[in-house]
Amino acid sequence: MNLTQKILNAHLLSGRLIPGEEISIRIDQTLTQDSTGTMAYLQFEAMGIGRVKTKKSVAYIDHNTLQTGFENADDHQYIQTVAKKHGIYCSKPGNGICHQVQLERFGIPGYTLLGSDSHTPTGGGIGMLAIGAGGLDVAVAMGGGAYFLTCPKVVGIRLTGKLPYAVAAKDIILEVLRRLSVKGGVGKVMEYIGEGVKTLTVPERATIANMGAELGATTSVFPSDEVTEAFLKAQGRAKDFTPLAADADAEYDEIVDIDLSELVPLVAQPHMPDNVDTVEHVGPIKVDQVFIGSCTNSSYQDMMRVARILKGKTVHPEVSLVIGPGSKQVLTMLARNGALADMLGAGARILESACGPCIGMGQSPKTNAVSVRTNNRNFYARSGTASAGIYLTSCETAAITALTGVLTDPRTLDLDLTVEQPKEFEVNDNLVIPPVAEGMEDTVEVVRGPNIKPFPLGKKLEDTVSGKVLLKMEDNITTDHIMPSNAKLLPFRSNIPHLSNFCLTPVDETFPERAKAEGGGLLVAGANYGQGSSREHAALVPLYLGIRAVAAKSFARIHQANLINNGILPVTFENEADYDRIDQGDALSLPDVREKIAAKQEKLILRNETKKEEYTVLLPLTDRQRGMILEGGLINYTRANA
Ligand code: MIC
Ligand code: SF4
């Protein structure tokens, strides 16, 4: 078996390990973060689950830390109190970005981790099977419920050789994205194998696993070996180590070969992470802002290399350099060893350990800016400045670029960039608040601020679904398009009515108004609809606006699950050319859809009443998904079957 099959097999609750079939697995650990967490805990409470049944569940507060009004602070208090009551550890703001802290302090090789954040796969860096999902699925897992997924194919990414000077782990994953595209990983797990794996430290592996999310992959996983053991030992967690690897004769559905020694510094250009070229070829474009940080690239090792490059130099006068170390642990160590002073000395603006600019929580660049960033997504408008272009690179490229003011190949540096992994990380978990002991739950009062509004529940599926095409969209629409997030909107993650005024506005500003005037309708989209963030809001808000179905060429994994969980029909065209026959404003219907779905028909008729045409659309559902669609979502379905 390969490693993915081994971990799946050890956690399998139902189904067979045959790619494409539905399986369910036991979840050992969960994580939530605050911008998806408030909703996940509201849903968790609505399910009436008492104490979590996982081995460990952690609620992080790392996204909405810019407190420009009472909303975020209120949500923090809600999360901290709800966590304390229900057996969940709470990582307070300032402790760091969820994925990095989970890797440093809680992740365990061979465990399953389900997180309400699409970059949960970062845990694959220490051999976890770590999967991102919608908040509702995580809430179910916290209650001890199984996690249902399509059994993935397993791609072996075989690494050979060793990275050349100033070429980084980030360049490996950018190379994978260049080759496979943002759709290339859908339905697959990326398993890293080969001699080259040993040359990569745990944080480097985590960078690669993290950004595997941009491939649309179910997750990415590395073996757990002596490098993992040294990392866990240095975190004071030697007891958490287990060696894990694929069998020598393991089989893979596909193999991708990468010779590390042939790689060069790469950059993903606006507005897609797979729009990759070499730094050399893109050339010395003028840069206005550099952001170094995020869950992809803010480990101790990353930050030390950056400090080394900045030491004794000054940031280019026309560049704003912002640095956000990934965790309190990293920031503390930089402060103690003087690296922080080197960064400050060079003119860097230091941010707290949180997501920050990556999700548009502050530091939005100026009009038409070029911003070079080390995070994982450069989707249109995500930085908070729609006219800005975001370029994704390694820390090395970003740091030298901040000095020169133009995109610069770090191989031109003349510095020793080797950073030894610390033998001992500085461990201080005092910002992690434990839950009350079992039996003491009643002593905790869950505090809810006025910004917390009820969330919409789906309705039973009608006999016939009909409505106008409110919006026709192209390929690769992200959840950042569907439900934009920035410093102005993130504080409203527990206020769906407010968010509904911004739904799909990056595609068409008039959409919310039109959807409300029509009382709902249908959406038509191209391939890979809903890629990116796991935010369930990208389903809840359309539900609130009366969207009943989305007809697309294909869907991204997490968003498709979120639609079904909320009772919205995600149908795909049997013949993709039919997409071209539909225009925005056409009246569509899915006649007798309830009866057909109840009768387990997978092929449905999509009637275009305007053009007097009929198309075949597909909705393959498992029994459980069928139940959710008929009842109007997972919560209704769970209640109906309680
Ligand atoms: C992201 O990177 O897009 C986020 C913000 O972390 C999201 C979660 C969210 O929308 O709150 C994700 O990756 O799932
Ligand atoms: Fe936070 Fe950005 Fe990572 Fe999402 S991708 S978890 S916003 S740092």
Side-chain angles (χ1 to χ4, degrees):
M1 281 196 274
N2 55 50
L3 179 54
T4 308
Q5 289 165 334
K6 286 188 188 183
I7 304 179
L8 283 175
N9 197 42
H11 291 83
L12 197 65
L13 294 174
S14 69
R16 298 174 300 168
L17 289 185
I18 299 175
E21 290 199 6
E22 188 187 61
I23 56 171
S24 72
I25 55 171
R26 182 168 40 79
I27 295 299
D28 298 318
Q29 297 187 340
T30 63
L31 72 76
T32 57
Q33 41 89 337
D34 49 330
S35 64
T36 56
T38 43
M39 194 51 72
Y41 292 114
L42 289 171
Q43 292 165 330
F44 178 83
E45 289 185 297
M47 286 179 203
I49 304 163
R51 217 179 156 83
V52 292
K53 312 247 168 6
T54 47
K55 290 185 178 148
K56 181 157 258 164
S57 287
V58 187
Y60 291 90
I61 301 174
D62 57 354
H63 279 63
N64 295 343
T65 56
L66 204 63
Q67 291 155 229
T68 53
F70 65 90
E71 294 87 357
N72 289 342
D74 280 8
D75 283 355
H76 298 173
Q77 193 186 22
Y78 167 66
I79 291 174
Q80 195 172 323
T81 52
V82 84
K84 190 166 191 172
K85 189 180 184 79
H86 294 283
I88 301 153
Y89 289 78
C90 179
S91 171
K92 286 175 67 184
N95 198 42
I97 307 175
C98 53
H99 309 303
Q100 183 151 334
V101 177
Q102 186 78 14
L103 189 82
E104 290 168 351
R105 306 301 311 136
F106 303 117
I108 295 184
Y111 271 31
T112 51
L113 166 68
L114 195 72
S116 65
D117 191 282
S118 65
H119 293 104
T120 303
T122 312
I126 47 168
M128 299 189 90
L129 201 80
I131 304 178
L136 202 46
D137 282 330
V138 178
V140 169
M142 286 191 283
Y147 175 60
F148 289 82
L149 72 161
T150 308
C151 180
K153 286 187 176 167
V154 185
V155 181
I157 305 212
R158 190 160 52 203
L159 306 180
T160 50
K162 196 172 179 305
L163 286 172
Y165 175 71
V167 180
K170 181 66 158 281
D171 299 308
I172 305 178
I173 186 63
L174 287 173
E175 172 66 12
V176 180
L177 273 153
R178 189 180 70 78
R179 291 201 207 171
L180 304 184
S181 92
V182 291
K183 308 196 275 288
V186 178
K188 300 171 184 174
V189 170
M190 305 291 152
E191 184 170 319
Y192 287 83
I193 52 174
E195 282 306 301
V197 166
K198 284 203 177 52
T199 67
L200 301 172
T201 62
V202 163
E204 288 173 325
R205 297 174 186 186
T207 293
I208 296 168
N210 171 284
M211 211 173 162
E214 274 51 71
L215 296 161
T218 304
T219 189
S220 301
V221 65
F222 278 83
S224 168
D225 57 11
E226 57 281 8
V227 176
T228 323
E229 185 174 19
F231 176 81
L232 288 172
K233 207 165 156 212
Q235 289 287 354
R237 302 205 287 127
K239 63 170 189 348
D240 290 340
F241 175 71
T242 328
L244 291 168
D247 292 330
D249 58 351
E251 285 182 10
Y252 292 89
D253 295 291
E254 288 165 47
I255 290 281
V256 174
D257 278 301
I258 299 183
D259 180 353
L260 300 181
S261 56
E262 281 177 4
L263 293 183
V264 298
L266 296 172
V267 51
Q269 305 169 90
H271 297 286
M272 258 324 130
D274 62 357
N275 187 12
V276 174
D277 201 343
T278 65
V279 170
E280 196 174 13
H281 188 241
V282 173
I285 50 169
K286 189 177 174 322
V287 171
D288 304 289
Q289 185 193 50
V290 173
F291 164 55
I292 302 177
S294 89
C295 58
T296 319
N297 271 126
S298 57
S299 64
Y300 174 80
Q301 187 179 18
D302 278 336
M303 291 291 144
M304 287 306 292
R305 286 200 186 119
V306 169
R308 184 101 36 100
I309 296 169
L310 295 179
K311 186 174 178 154
K313 307 270 178 17
T314 298
V315 169
H316 188 277
E318 280 159 42
V319 173
S320 166
L321 168 65
V322 282
I323 303 181
S327 66
K328 170 169 166 266
Q329 177 178 80
V330 172
L331 185 50
T332 310
M333 290 174 72
L334 299 179
R336 278 211 213 289
N337 71 15
L340 187 60
D342 294 335
M343 291 173 169
L344 287 166
R349 302 165 65 181
I350 305 296
L351 303 178
E352 68 173 328
S353 297
C355 297
C358 176
I359 186 58
M361 261 299 188
Q363 307 295 331
S364 295
K366 69 178 190 187
T367 310
N368 298 329
V370 168
S371 177
V372 170
R373 298 181 167 208
T374 65
N375 50 266
N376 43 39
R377 290 188 174 143
N378 56 351
F379 299 150
Y380 173 70
R382 182 176 156 103
S383 67
T385 305
S387 68
I390 309 296
Y391 292 73
L392 308 175
T393 70
S394 70
C395 288
E396 290 79 344
T397 303
I400 184 173
T401 295
L403 298 177
T404 59
V406 291
L407 183 69
T408 305
D409 190 325
R411 291 174 301 176
T412 54
L413 282 164
D414 187 14
L415 275 179
D416 180 6
L417 290 176
T418 35
V419 174
E420 290 303 324
Q421 280 296 296
K423 293 271 167 296
E424 228 174 284
F425 287 97
E426 182 161 337
V427 174
N428 179 354
D429 292 328
N430 62 352
L431 282 183
V432 179
I433 310 298
V436 287
E438 223 164 329
M440 299 300 285
E441 289 81 5
D442 289 347
T443 63
V444 184
E445 189 207 340
V446 177
V447 187
R448 276 163 243 272
N451 184 40
I452 295 187
K453 302 276 186 258
F455 57 88
L457 272 182
K459 293 195 206 69
K460 273 193 191 299
L461 181 64
E462 306 94 306
D463 295 335
T464 291
V465 163
S466 57
K468 272 193 191 161
V469 178
L470 293 173
L471 198 59
K472 184 173 174 187
M473 294 165 274
E474 54 200 33
D475 288 353
N476 292 326
I477 290 294
T478 72
T479 43
D480 276 289
H481 289 101
I482 308 171
M483 195 54 255
S485 278
N486 53 45
K488 294 195 188 83
L489 290 182
L490 272 164
F492 297 97
R493 282 294 183 89
S494 36
N495 187 342
I496 300 293
H498 181 77
L499 288 184
S500 73
N501 299 319
F502 303 90
C503 183
L504 281 162
T505 48
V507 184
D508 177 352
E509 284 204 347
T510 67
F511 175 77
E513 209 182 302
R514 291 190 295 105
K516 284 182 186 173
E518 285 291 336
L522 281 79
L523 299 174
V524 171
N528 200 26
Y529 179 71
Q531 68 158 325
S533 158
S534 64
R535 63 191 71 147
E536 208 184 349
H537 306 75
L540 283 166
V541 172
L543 174 70
Y544 177 81
L545 289 172
I547 302 301
R548 304 297 299 121
V550 185
K553 289 185 184 169
S554 66
F555 289 89
R557 178 184 67 88
I558 304 178
H559 186 58
Q560 186 172 32
N562 285 340
L563 289 174
I564 296 175
N565 282 349
N566 287 288
I568 300 177
L569 304 174
V571 299
T572 52
F573 295 102
E574 184 179 52
N575 176 3
E576 282 196 4
D578 289 341
Y579 164 89
D580 298 317
R581 307 184 70 89
I582 305 177
D583 288 309
Q584 191 163 311
D586 284 359
L588 300 183
S589 68
L590 289 156
D592 305 320
V593 67
R594 184 175 179 93
E595 190 188 316
K596 288 180 184 161
I597 291 178
K600 302 195 178 183
Q601 285 186 28
E602 295 194 348
K603 286 191 181 186
L604 305 171
I605 298 295
L606 180 65
R607 192 177 287 156
N608 189 331
E609 313 282 356
T610 309
K611 302 226 162 66
K612 306 273 176 273
E613 292 177 346
E614 285 190 351
Y615 323 113
T616 304
V617 289
L618 308 175
L619 186 61
L621 296 170
T622 62
D623 288 343
R624 181 174 163 275
Q625 290 173 326
R626 192 170 304 109
M628 290 195 267
I629 289 287
L630 292 173
E631 291 296 332
L634 176 56
I635 295 189
N636 294 342
Y637 172 71
T638 312
R639 282 185 189 156
N641 289 285

